[in-house]
mmCIF file of all heavy atoms in Angstrom:
data_model
loop_
_atom_site.group_PDB
_atom_site.id
_atom_site.type_symbol
_atom_site.label_atom_id
_atom_site.label_comp_id
_atom_site.label_asym_id
_atom_site.label_seq_id
_atom_site.Cartn_x
_atom_site.Cartn_y
_atom_site.Cartn_z
ATOM 1 N N GLY W 1 134.228 -74.686 240.587
ATOM 2 C CA GLY W 1 134.687 -76.004 240.906
ATOM 3 C C GLY W 1 135.105 -76.121 242.391
ATOM 4 O O GLY W 1 134.342 -76.574 243.229
ATOM 5 N N ILE W 2 136.309 -75.694 242.664
ATOM 6 C CA ILE W 2 136.792 -75.595 244.064
ATOM 7 C C ILE W 2 137.299 -74.167 244.220
ATOM 8 O O ILE W 2 138.048 -73.643 243.446
ATOM 9 C CB ILE W 2 137.921 -76.564 244.330
ATOM 10 C CG1 ILE W 2 137.436 -78.029 244.282
ATOM 11 C CG2 ILE W 2 138.551 -76.325 245.709
ATOM 12 C CD1 ILE W 2 138.492 -79.067 244.510
ATOM 13 N N GLY W 3 136.866 -73.544 245.302
ATOM 14 C CA GLY W 3 137.317 -72.182 245.593
ATOM 15 C C GLY W 3 138.373 -72.195 246.670
ATOM 16 O O GLY W 3 138.352 -73.090 247.547
ATOM 17 N N THR W 4 139.270 -71.243 246.616
ATOM 18 C CA THR W 4 140.309 -71.135 247.654
ATOM 19 C C THR W 4 140.083 -69.876 248.450
ATOM 20 O O THR W 4 139.850 -68.786 247.861
ATOM 21 C CB THR W 4 141.722 -71.051 246.984
ATOM 22 O OG1 THR W 4 141.967 -72.320 246.405
ATOM 23 C CG2 THR W 4 142.802 -70.721 248.016
ATOM 24 N N VAL W 5 140.167 -69.998 249.783
ATOM 25 C CA VAL W 5 140.193 -68.803 250.665
ATOM 26 C C VAL W 5 141.618 -68.745 251.202
ATOM 27 O O VAL W 5 142.078 -69.681 251.846
ATOM 28 C CB VAL W 5 139.165 -68.928 251.790
ATOM 29 C CG1 VAL W 5 139.232 -67.659 252.675
ATOM 30 C CG2 VAL W 5 137.769 -69.126 251.250
ATOM 31 N N ASP W 6 142.282 -67.626 250.958
ATOM 32 C CA ASP W 6 143.644 -67.449 251.420
ATOM 33 C C ASP W 6 143.727 -67.120 252.890
ATOM 34 O O ASP W 6 142.752 -66.582 253.477
ATOM 35 C CB ASP W 6 144.334 -66.366 250.588
ATOM 36 C CG ASP W 6 144.426 -66.676 249.129
ATOM 37 O OD1 ASP W 6 144.896 -67.803 248.811
ATOM 38 O OD2 ASP W 6 144.023 -65.868 248.293
ATOM 39 N N SER W 7 144.870 -67.387 253.520
ATOM 40 C CA SER W 7 145.030 -67.196 254.941
ATOM 41 C C SER W 7 144.957 -65.740 255.351
ATOM 42 O O SER W 7 144.644 -65.405 256.482
ATOM 43 C CB SER W 7 146.322 -67.803 255.427
ATOM 44 O OG SER W 7 147.415 -67.137 254.836
ATOM 45 N N ASP W 8 145.166 -64.800 254.413
ATOM 46 C CA ASP W 8 145.145 -63.401 254.794
ATOM 47 C C ASP W 8 143.779 -62.708 254.463
ATOM 48 O O ASP W 8 143.619 -61.531 254.691
ATOM 49 C CB ASP W 8 146.285 -62.609 254.109
ATOM 50 C CG ASP W 8 146.277 -62.685 252.619
ATOM 51 O OD1 ASP W 8 145.501 -63.472 252.042
ATOM 52 O OD2 ASP W 8 147.095 -61.974 251.999
ATOM 53 N N TYR W 9 142.785 -63.487 254.015
ATOM 54 C CA TYR W 9 141.468 -62.908 253.726
ATOM 55 C C TYR W 9 140.641 -62.840 255.012
ATOM 56 O O TYR W 9 140.573 -63.797 255.783
ATOM 57 C CB TYR W 9 140.717 -63.799 252.717
ATOM 58 C CG TYR W 9 139.329 -63.285 252.420
ATOM 59 C CD1 TYR W 9 139.126 -62.115 251.746
ATOM 60 C CD2 TYR W 9 138.213 -63.999 252.854
ATOM 61 C CE1 TYR W 9 137.853 -61.644 251.482
ATOM 62 C CE2 TYR W 9 136.912 -63.544 252.599
ATOM 63 C CZ TYR W 9 136.757 -62.395 251.910
ATOM 64 O OH TYR W 9 135.449 -61.926 251.685
ATOM 65 N N ARG W 10 140.041 -61.700 255.317
ATOM 66 C CA ARG W 10 139.294 -61.514 256.524
ATOM 67 C C ARG W 10 137.835 -61.144 256.305
ATOM 68 O O ARG W 10 137.102 -60.863 257.237
ATOM 69 C CB ARG W 10 139.947 -60.412 257.380
ATOM 70 C CG ARG W 10 141.329 -60.797 257.936
ATOM 71 C CD ARG W 10 141.223 -62.030 258.866
ATOM 72 N NE ARG W 10 142.478 -62.367 259.441
ATOM 73 C CZ ARG W 10 143.363 -63.263 258.938
ATOM 74 N NH1 ARG W 10 143.058 -63.841 257.786
ATOM 75 N NH2 ARG W 10 144.485 -63.489 259.510
ATOM 76 N N GLY W 11 137.388 -61.125 255.051
ATOM 77 C CA GLY W 11 135.990 -60.790 254.795
ATOM 78 C C GLY W 11 135.078 -62.015 255.056
ATOM 79 O O GLY W 11 135.533 -63.106 255.335
ATOM 80 N N GLU W 12 133.784 -61.796 254.843
ATOM 81 C CA GLU W 12 132.792 -62.886 254.989
ATOM 82 C C GLU W 12 132.981 -63.898 253.906
ATOM 83 O O GLU W 12 133.217 -63.589 252.761
ATOM 84 C CB GLU W 12 131.362 -62.325 254.916
ATOM 85 C CG GLU W 12 130.327 -63.401 255.098
ATOM 86 C CD GLU W 12 128.890 -62.875 255.051
ATOM 87 O OE1 GLU W 12 128.684 -61.689 254.759
ATOM 88 O OE2 GLU W 12 127.979 -63.682 255.301
ATOM 89 N N TRP W 13 132.872 -65.189 254.273
ATOM 90 C CA TRP W 13 132.953 -66.256 253.341
ATOM 91 C C TRP W 13 131.580 -66.364 252.645
ATOM 92 O O TRP W 13 130.548 -66.586 253.288
ATOM 93 C CB TRP W 13 133.282 -67.588 253.985
ATOM 94 C CG TRP W 13 134.698 -67.757 254.408
ATOM 95 C CD1 TRP W 13 135.667 -66.790 254.472
ATOM 96 C CD2 TRP W 13 135.315 -68.929 254.843
ATOM 97 N NE1 TRP W 13 136.861 -67.309 254.903
ATOM 98 C CE2 TRP W 13 136.658 -68.619 255.152
ATOM 99 C CE3 TRP W 13 134.865 -70.246 255.051
ATOM 100 C CZ2 TRP W 13 137.543 -69.601 255.609
ATOM 101 C CZ3 TRP W 13 135.740 -71.178 255.501
ATOM 102 C CH2 TRP W 13 137.099 -70.859 255.784
ATOM 103 N N ASN W 14 131.568 -66.137 251.348
ATOM 104 C CA ASN W 14 130.370 -66.324 250.505
ATOM 105 C C ASN W 14 130.666 -67.470 249.549
ATOM 106 O O ASN W 14 131.783 -67.609 249.038
ATOM 107 C CB ASN W 14 130.063 -65.041 249.709
ATOM 108 C CG ASN W 14 129.652 -63.934 250.616
ATOM 109 O OD1 ASN W 14 128.518 -63.923 251.111
ATOM 110 N ND2 ASN W 14 130.559 -62.990 250.918
ATOM 111 N N VAL W 15 129.656 -68.254 249.202
ATOM 112 C CA VAL W 15 129.871 -69.451 248.367
ATOM 113 C C VAL W 15 129.265 -69.146 247.003
ATOM 114 O O VAL W 15 128.069 -68.863 246.904
ATOM 115 C CB VAL W 15 129.202 -70.683 249.016
ATOM 116 C CG1 VAL W 15 129.377 -71.893 248.126
ATOM 117 C CG2 VAL W 15 129.809 -70.945 250.423
ATOM 118 N N PRO W 16 130.062 -69.250 245.916
ATOM 119 C CA PRO W 16 129.540 -68.993 244.585
ATOM 120 C C PRO W 16 128.833 -70.243 243.997
ATOM 121 O O PRO W 16 129.476 -71.181 243.467
ATOM 122 C CB PRO W 16 130.809 -68.678 243.771
ATOM 123 C CG PRO W 16 131.886 -69.426 244.453
ATOM 124 C CD PRO W 16 131.494 -69.493 245.910
ATOM 125 N N LEU W 17 127.521 -70.328 244.226
ATOM 126 C CA LEU W 17 126.773 -71.473 243.768
ATOM 127 C C LEU W 17 126.188 -71.261 242.375
ATOM 128 O O LEU W 17 125.925 -70.162 241.953
ATOM 129 C CB LEU W 17 125.593 -71.743 244.757
ATOM 130 C CG LEU W 17 125.980 -72.254 246.149
ATOM 131 C CD1 LEU W 17 124.708 -72.485 247.010
ATOM 132 C CD2 LEU W 17 126.829 -73.475 246.082
ATOM 133 N N ILE W 18 125.933 -72.393 241.707
ATOM 134 C CA ILE W 18 125.273 -72.403 240.388
ATOM 135 C C ILE W 18 124.244 -73.499 240.399
ATOM 136 O O ILE W 18 124.485 -74.565 240.987
ATOM 137 C CB ILE W 18 126.262 -72.567 239.202
ATOM 138 C CG1 ILE W 18 125.522 -72.374 237.891
ATOM 139 C CG2 ILE W 18 127.037 -73.863 239.291
ATOM 140 C CD1 ILE W 18 126.461 -72.197 236.706
ATOM 141 N N ASN W 19 123.133 -73.225 239.760
ATOM 142 C CA ASN W 19 122.070 -74.223 239.659
ATOM 143 C C ASN W 19 122.099 -74.759 238.219
ATOM 144 O O ASN W 19 121.644 -74.110 237.281
ATOM 145 C CB ASN W 19 120.707 -73.591 239.922
ATOM 146 C CG ASN W 19 119.573 -74.564 239.909
ATOM 147 O OD1 ASN W 19 119.685 -75.667 239.432
ATOM 148 N ND2 ASN W 19 118.388 -74.149 240.371
ATOM 149 N N TRP W 20 122.692 -75.949 238.052
ATOM 150 C CA TRP W 20 122.839 -76.570 236.746
ATOM 151 C C TRP W 20 121.534 -77.224 236.307
ATOM 152 O O TRP W 20 121.434 -77.651 235.136
ATOM 153 C CB TRP W 20 123.898 -77.689 236.825
ATOM 154 C CG TRP W 20 125.313 -77.154 237.114
ATOM 155 C CD1 TRP W 20 125.971 -77.324 238.310
ATOM 156 C CD2 TRP W 20 126.182 -76.439 236.276
ATOM 157 N NE1 TRP W 20 127.200 -76.725 238.222
ATOM 158 C CE2 TRP W 20 127.363 -76.213 236.992
ATOM 159 C CE3 TRP W 20 126.062 -75.988 234.966
ATOM 160 C CZ2 TRP W 20 128.426 -75.530 236.419
ATOM 161 C CZ3 TRP W 20 127.138 -75.302 234.403
ATOM 162 C CH2 TRP W 20 128.316 -75.118 235.160
ATOM 163 N N SER W 21 120.549 -77.366 237.204
ATOM 164 C CA SER W 21 119.305 -78.078 236.829
ATOM 165 C C SER W 21 118.362 -77.179 236.071
ATOM 166 O O SER W 21 118.588 -76.009 235.851
ATOM 167 C CB SER W 21 118.652 -78.596 238.095
ATOM 168 O OG SER W 21 117.911 -77.592 238.746
ATOM 169 N N LYS W 22 117.216 -77.786 235.712
ATOM 170 C CA LYS W 22 116.155 -77.080 234.999
ATOM 171 C C LYS W 22 115.110 -76.535 235.965
ATOM 172 O O LYS W 22 114.101 -75.906 235.561
ATOM 173 C CB LYS W 22 115.505 -77.974 233.956
ATOM 174 C CG LYS W 22 116.456 -78.367 232.878
ATOM 175 C CD LYS W 22 115.819 -79.278 231.880
ATOM 176 C CE LYS W 22 116.832 -79.515 230.738
ATOM 177 N NZ LYS W 22 116.902 -80.846 230.275
ATOM 178 N N ASP W 23 115.286 -76.794 237.274
ATOM 179 C CA ASP W 23 114.318 -76.407 238.286
ATOM 180 C C ASP W 23 114.904 -75.389 239.246
ATOM 181 O O ASP W 23 116.086 -75.495 239.613
ATOM 182 C CB ASP W 23 113.849 -77.599 239.097
ATOM 183 C CG ASP W 23 113.209 -78.703 238.232
ATOM 184 O OD1 ASP W 23 112.380 -78.342 237.393
ATOM 185 O OD2 ASP W 23 113.571 -79.866 238.384
ATOM 186 N N ASP W 24 114.101 -74.417 239.686
ATOM 187 C CA ASP W 24 114.555 -73.502 240.742
ATOM 188 C C ASP W 24 114.807 -74.266 242.016
ATOM 189 O O ASP W 24 114.174 -75.324 242.227
ATOM 190 C CB ASP W 24 113.505 -72.423 240.989
ATOM 191 C CG ASP W 24 113.280 -71.511 239.752
ATOM 192 O OD1 ASP W 24 114.047 -71.597 238.782
ATOM 193 O OD2 ASP W 24 112.344 -70.714 239.801
ATOM 194 N N TYR W 25 115.691 -73.782 242.857
ATOM 195 C CA TYR W 25 115.995 -74.449 244.116
ATOM 196 C C TYR W 25 116.002 -73.414 245.209
ATOM 197 O O TYR W 25 116.714 -72.391 245.162
ATOM 198 C CB TYR W 25 117.357 -75.140 244.032
ATOM 199 C CG TYR W 25 117.682 -75.912 245.320
ATOM 200 C CD1 TYR W 25 117.097 -77.140 245.551
ATOM 201 C CD2 TYR W 25 118.553 -75.384 246.235
ATOM 202 C CE1 TYR W 25 117.356 -77.836 246.746
ATOM 203 C CE2 TYR W 25 118.841 -76.089 247.401
ATOM 204 C CZ TYR W 25 118.208 -77.287 247.649
ATOM 205 O OH TYR W 25 118.454 -77.980 248.816
ATOM 206 N N ALA W 26 115.248 -73.637 246.273
ATOM 207 C CA ALA W 26 115.191 -72.753 247.413
ATOM 208 C C ALA W 26 116.186 -73.175 248.484
ATOM 209 O O ALA W 26 116.112 -74.289 249.029
ATOM 210 C CB ALA W 26 113.761 -72.741 248.027
ATOM 211 N N ILE W 27 117.118 -72.292 248.727
ATOM 212 C CA ILE W 27 118.143 -72.521 249.765
ATOM 213 C C ILE W 27 117.591 -71.935 251.074
ATOM 214 O O ILE W 27 117.111 -70.798 251.117
ATOM 215 C CB ILE W 27 119.475 -71.824 249.409
ATOM 216 C CG1 ILE W 27 119.981 -72.440 248.085
ATOM 217 C CG2 ILE W 27 120.470 -72.019 250.550
ATOM 218 C CD1 ILE W 27 121.123 -71.649 247.496
ATOM 219 N N LYS W 28 117.613 -72.729 252.124
ATOM 220 C CA LYS W 28 117.070 -72.299 253.427
ATOM 221 C C LYS W 28 118.165 -71.832 254.342
ATOM 222 O O LYS W 28 119.353 -72.308 254.245
ATOM 223 C CB LYS W 28 116.314 -73.438 254.051
ATOM 224 C CG LYS W 28 115.112 -73.959 253.235
ATOM 225 C CD LYS W 28 114.382 -75.042 253.881
ATOM 226 C CE LYS W 28 113.197 -75.542 253.089
ATOM 227 N NZ LYS W 28 112.630 -74.699 252.093
ATOM 228 N N ASP W 29 117.840 -70.965 255.265
ATOM 229 C CA ASP W 29 118.805 -70.514 256.273
ATOM 230 C C ASP W 29 119.323 -71.709 257.025
ATOM 231 O O ASP W 29 118.523 -72.547 257.530
ATOM 232 C CB ASP W 29 118.137 -69.499 257.223
ATOM 233 C CG ASP W 29 119.149 -68.968 258.274
ATOM 234 O OD1 ASP W 29 120.244 -68.557 257.856
ATOM 235 O OD2 ASP W 29 118.772 -68.962 259.445
ATOM 236 N N GLY W 30 120.638 -71.860 257.180
ATOM 237 C CA GLY W 30 121.197 -72.980 257.905
ATOM 238 C C GLY W 30 121.424 -74.213 257.104
ATOM 239 O O GLY W 30 122.062 -75.158 257.584
ATOM 240 N N GLU W 31 120.939 -74.220 255.838
ATOM 241 C CA GLU W 31 121.186 -75.396 254.987
ATOM 242 C C GLU W 31 122.663 -75.516 254.647
ATOM 243 O O GLU W 31 123.296 -74.520 254.348
ATOM 244 C CB GLU W 31 120.330 -75.270 253.721
ATOM 245 C CG GLU W 31 120.515 -76.432 252.751
ATOM 246 C CD GLU W 31 119.616 -76.332 251.526
ATOM 247 O OE1 GLU W 31 118.818 -75.406 251.440
ATOM 248 O OE2 GLU W 31 119.743 -77.232 250.665
ATOM 249 N N ARG W 32 123.154 -76.730 254.676
ATOM 250 C CA ARG W 32 124.574 -76.963 254.342
ATOM 251 C C ARG W 32 124.736 -76.823 252.839
ATOM 252 O O ARG W 32 124.174 -77.605 252.079
ATOM 253 C CB ARG W 32 125.023 -78.332 254.825
ATOM 254 C CG ARG W 32 124.894 -78.444 256.345
ATOM 255 C CD ARG W 32 125.138 -79.866 256.817
ATOM 256 N NE ARG W 32 124.202 -80.788 256.256
ATOM 257 C CZ ARG W 32 124.414 -82.112 256.082
ATOM 258 N NH1 ARG W 32 125.535 -82.673 256.486
ATOM 259 N NH2 ARG W 32 123.487 -82.861 255.529
ATOM 260 N N ILE W 33 125.483 -75.842 252.365
ATOM 261 C CA ILE W 33 125.611 -75.523 250.967
ATOM 262 C C ILE W 33 126.970 -75.873 250.378
ATOM 263 O O ILE W 33 127.092 -75.909 249.143
ATOM 264 C CB ILE W 33 125.281 -74.040 250.672
ATOM 265 C CG1 ILE W 33 126.178 -73.102 251.484
ATOM 266 C CG2 ILE W 33 123.788 -73.767 250.958
ATOM 267 C CD1 ILE W 33 126.104 -71.675 251.075
ATOM 268 N N ALA W 34 127.940 -76.089 251.207
ATOM 269 C CA ALA W 34 129.296 -76.394 250.763
ATOM 270 C C ALA W 34 130.054 -77.068 251.870
ATOM 271 O O ALA W 34 129.544 -77.161 252.986
ATOM 272 C CB ALA W 34 130.036 -75.149 250.295
ATOM 273 N N GLN W 35 131.248 -77.532 251.555
ATOM 274 C CA GLN W 35 132.124 -78.088 252.598
ATOM 275 C C GLN W 35 133.461 -77.460 252.443
ATOM 276 O O GLN W 35 133.869 -76.987 251.376
ATOM 277 C CB GLN W 35 132.163 -79.590 252.553
ATOM 278 C CG GLN W 35 132.625 -80.182 251.268
ATOM 279 C CD GLN W 35 132.570 -81.703 251.315
ATOM 280 O OE1 GLN W 35 132.800 -82.340 252.318
ATOM 281 N NE2 GLN W 35 132.277 -82.299 250.144
ATOM 282 N N VAL W 36 134.221 -77.466 253.540
ATOM 283 C CA VAL W 36 135.526 -76.829 253.580
ATOM 284 C C VAL W 36 136.579 -77.840 254.023
ATOM 285 O O VAL W 36 136.415 -78.520 255.056
ATOM 286 C CB VAL W 36 135.544 -75.661 254.573
ATOM 287 C CG1 VAL W 36 136.926 -75.033 254.653
ATOM 288 C CG2 VAL W 36 134.514 -74.643 254.211
ATOM 289 N N VAL W 37 137.659 -77.923 253.240
ATOM 290 C CA VAL W 37 138.812 -78.718 253.614
ATOM 291 C C VAL W 37 139.974 -77.755 253.863
ATOM 292 O O VAL W 37 140.271 -76.911 253.001
ATOM 293 C CB VAL W 37 139.197 -79.735 252.526
ATOM 294 C CG1 VAL W 37 140.525 -80.457 252.886
ATOM 295 C CG2 VAL W 37 138.100 -80.750 252.362
ATOM 296 N N ILE W 38 140.557 -77.791 255.036
ATOM 297 C CA ILE W 38 141.718 -76.937 255.349
ATOM 298 C C ILE W 38 142.958 -77.706 254.890
ATOM 299 O O ILE W 38 143.142 -78.865 255.260
ATOM 300 C CB ILE W 38 141.790 -76.657 256.875
ATOM 301 C CG1 ILE W 38 140.479 -76.030 257.381
ATOM 302 C CG2 ILE W 38 142.988 -75.764 257.164
ATOM 303 C CD1 ILE W 38 140.122 -74.689 256.782
ATOM 304 N N ALA W 39 143.766 -77.036 254.089
ATOM 305 C CA ALA W 39 144.990 -77.704 253.533
ATOM 306 C C ALA W 39 146.226 -76.831 253.738
ATOM 307 O O ALA W 39 146.171 -75.613 253.550
ATOM 308 C CB ALA W 39 144.772 -77.969 252.042
ATOM 309 N N LYS W 40 147.309 -77.488 254.048
ATOM 310 C CA LYS W 40 148.600 -76.842 254.165
ATOM 311 C C LYS W 40 149.148 -76.690 252.731
ATOM 312 O O LYS W 40 148.922 -77.531 251.878
ATOM 313 C CB LYS W 40 149.541 -77.685 255.012
ATOM 314 C CG LYS W 40 150.832 -76.975 255.389
ATOM 315 C CD LYS W 40 151.568 -77.864 256.390
ATOM 316 C CE LYS W 40 152.863 -77.236 256.775
ATOM 317 N NZ LYS W 40 152.723 -76.172 257.786
ATOM 318 N N TYR W 41 149.839 -75.608 252.485
ATOM 319 C CA TYR W 41 150.432 -75.404 251.172
ATOM 320 C C TYR W 41 151.851 -74.839 251.288
ATOM 321 O O TYR W 41 152.223 -74.391 252.363
ATOM 322 C CB TYR W 41 149.595 -74.473 250.313
ATOM 323 C CG TYR W 41 149.519 -73.055 250.818
ATOM 324 C CD1 TYR W 41 150.518 -72.113 250.499
ATOM 325 C CD2 TYR W 41 148.519 -72.656 251.670
ATOM 326 C CE1 TYR W 41 150.493 -70.853 250.982
ATOM 327 C CE2 TYR W 41 148.445 -71.364 252.141
ATOM 328 C CZ TYR W 41 149.442 -70.457 251.795
ATOM 329 O OH TYR W 41 149.400 -69.172 252.295
ATOM 330 N N GLU W 42 152.576 -74.916 250.232
ATOM 331 C CA GLU W 42 153.900 -74.346 250.174
ATOM 332 C C GLU W 42 153.917 -73.333 249.068
ATOM 333 O O GLU W 42 153.288 -73.532 248.035
ATOM 334 C CB GLU W 42 154.940 -75.449 249.880
ATOM 335 C CG GLU W 42 154.935 -76.491 250.927
ATOM 336 C CD GLU W 42 156.297 -76.915 251.374
ATOM 337 O OE1 GLU W 42 157.294 -76.214 251.028
ATOM 338 O OE2 GLU W 42 156.384 -77.904 252.072
ATOM 339 N N ARG W 43 154.668 -72.260 249.249
ATOM 340 C CA ARG W 43 154.820 -71.260 248.233
ATOM 341 C C ARG W 43 156.058 -71.616 247.431
ATOM 342 O O ARG W 43 157.109 -71.911 248.031
ATOM 343 C CB ARG W 43 154.943 -69.852 248.812
ATOM 344 C CG ARG W 43 153.622 -69.380 249.388
ATOM 345 C CD ARG W 43 153.735 -68.007 249.916
ATOM 346 N NE ARG W 43 154.238 -67.081 248.917
ATOM 347 C CZ ARG W 43 153.621 -65.964 248.499
ATOM 348 N NH1 ARG W 43 152.473 -65.676 249.018
ATOM 349 N NH2 ARG W 43 154.162 -65.204 247.596
ATOM 350 N N ALA W 44 155.976 -71.556 246.110
ATOM 351 C CA ALA W 44 157.075 -71.875 245.274
ATOM 352 C C ALA W 44 157.972 -70.638 245.095
ATOM 353 O O ALA W 44 157.499 -69.487 245.055
ATOM 354 C CB ALA W 44 156.569 -72.306 243.903
ATOM 355 N N GLU W 45 159.256 -70.900 244.989
ATOM 356 C CA GLU W 45 160.201 -69.886 244.599
ATOM 357 C C GLU W 45 160.320 -69.949 243.072
ATOM 358 O O GLU W 45 160.759 -71.032 242.563
ATOM 359 C CB GLU W 45 161.554 -70.067 245.265
ATOM 360 C CG GLU W 45 162.578 -69.015 244.888
ATOM 361 C CD GLU W 45 163.918 -69.279 245.575
ATOM 362 O OE1 GLU W 45 163.979 -69.798 246.666
ATOM 363 O OE2 GLU W 45 164.931 -68.950 244.938
ATOM 364 N N ILE W 46 159.881 -68.924 242.391
ATOM 365 C CA ILE W 46 159.822 -68.997 240.919
ATOM 366 C C ILE W 46 161.105 -68.502 240.301
ATOM 367 O O ILE W 46 161.590 -67.386 240.669
ATOM 368 C CB ILE W 46 158.629 -68.186 240.410
ATOM 369 C CG1 ILE W 46 157.342 -68.779 240.985
ATOM 370 C CG2 ILE W 46 158.569 -68.154 238.878
ATOM 371 C CD1 ILE W 46 156.118 -67.992 240.800
#
């Protein structure tokens, strides 16, 4: 659905895609496959 990348992660960003259709889909180099929204968050004291 929506993935979170934490501020302390330093590895390569990989996008977990799924093909819900009945047809194969060829992803091309440079094709826009996802979008990123940067969001501020607060940590809760539990």
Side-chain angles (χ1 to χ4, degrees):
I2 294 178
T4 293
V5 180
D6 298 310
S7 64
D8 58 352
Y9 177 69
R10 294 297 183 268
E12 181 179 6
W13 285 13
N14 292 283
V15 179
L17 292 180
I18 187 166
N19 183 347
W20 297 106
S21 80
K22 296 179 175 138
D23 301 314
D24 294 351
Y25 183 76
I27 299 168
K28 299 182 180 338
D29 183 48
E31 180 176 356
R32 298 173 301 156
I33 57 169
Q35 59 184 324
V36 178
V37 173
I38 305 296
K40 191 172 180 80
Y41 66 85
E42 301 224 11
R43 288 183 56 123
E45 181 180 328
I46 300 171

